[in-house]
Amino acid sequence: MDMDLMEVMDLEDGKEKDFNITVKNALRLRARRGDEVHLLCTKKPEQKQRWIRAFADERKQVHHDRETGFSLTEVQKKQAMLNAFKSHPAGKPKAVTRPYCDFLLRQKHPSLPTALPQQQVFMLAEPKRKTTFWHNIGRLTPFKK
């Protein structure tokens, strides 16, 4: 979905007029041109706020990229989409060392060596996720409320 063409709106809980349904913790994604409308509903208000922040942060990043002249070629975009849809290989991927990541993040226009595998390039773009015991135990619990 091209977010340059979409508008994100925070919806109040209650009746949603476009779909004629009752919503709670919902966002509406509406095309700036045309009649395309999507609803994003979350279980908790905190999740809704995280989505709102994520959409706002994405727009800020796009604005920053335009100001600095950062752009991806069509080939790079297609390769990123293909990599996103591929199943993840078994085992833990090899990580790029943290000092190298920090060095790249400090640069305005980072240049990556051509020998660096595509999977490692995407690892640079995503922050490392911290998993806790409670996070893992929740996923493994066979009975949930």
Side-chain angles (χ1 to χ4, degrees):
M1 183 180 306
D2 187 352
M3 291 305 294
D4 289 339
L5 306 175
M6 302 299 281
E7 177 181 22
V8 179
M9 294 181 282
D10 187 358
L11 295 178
E12 292 184 20
D13 294 347
K15 198 73 161 176
E16 206 285 323
K17 62 182 178 188
D18 288 332
F19 292 95
N20 198 28
I21 59 173
T22 302
V23 295
K24 187 173 183 181
N25 304 322
L27 300 171
R28 180 187 309 142
L29 303 175
R30 178 184 297 269
R32 295 183 192 276
R33 296 182 193 105
D35 58 353
E36 184 181 357
V37 178
H38 302 275
L39 283 181
L40 176 65
C41 301
T42 63
K43 289 184 180 183
K44 299 177 183 177
E46 298 83 28
Q47 293 171 326
K48 176 182 173 181
Q49 292 306 314
R50 283 184 18 211
W51 275 104
I52 290 171
R53 278 194 310 273
F55 283 124
D57 291 346
E58 187 267 345
R59 292 286 88 201
K60 286 179 190 172
Q61 185 64 47
V62 168
H63 182 70
H64 175 71
D65 289 348
R66 286 182 181 151
E67 285 180 343
T68 60
F70 177 80
S71 65
L72 295 173
T73 65
E74 288 303 315
V75 173
Q76 290 171 318
K77 290 176 187 177
K78 287 178 183 177
Q79 186 62 47
M81 289 174 60
L82 286 172
N83 289 343
F85 287 115
K86 284 182 185 176
S87 61
H88 298 290
K92 195 173 185 179
K94 293 180 182 177
V96 178
T97 62
R98 202 68 210 161
Y100 186 62
C101 290
D102 294 338
F103 166 75
L104 287 174
L105 292 174
R106 283 192 304 272
Q107 292 185 19
K108 266 196 168 176
H109 300 287
S111 58
L112 299 173
T114 55
L116 193 63
Q118 192 72 25
Q119 185 177 9
Q120 289 184 350
V121 172
F122 286 111
M123 288 176 61
L124 291 171
E126 294 182 13
K128 189 171 183 178
R129 295 182 181 157
K130 294 181 182 177
T131 56
T132 63
F133 170 78
W134 295 111
H135 173 71
N136 288 333
I137 197 78
R139 290 187 321 170
L140 299 174
T141 310
F143 303 105
K144 294 184 178 182
K145 290 182 182 178

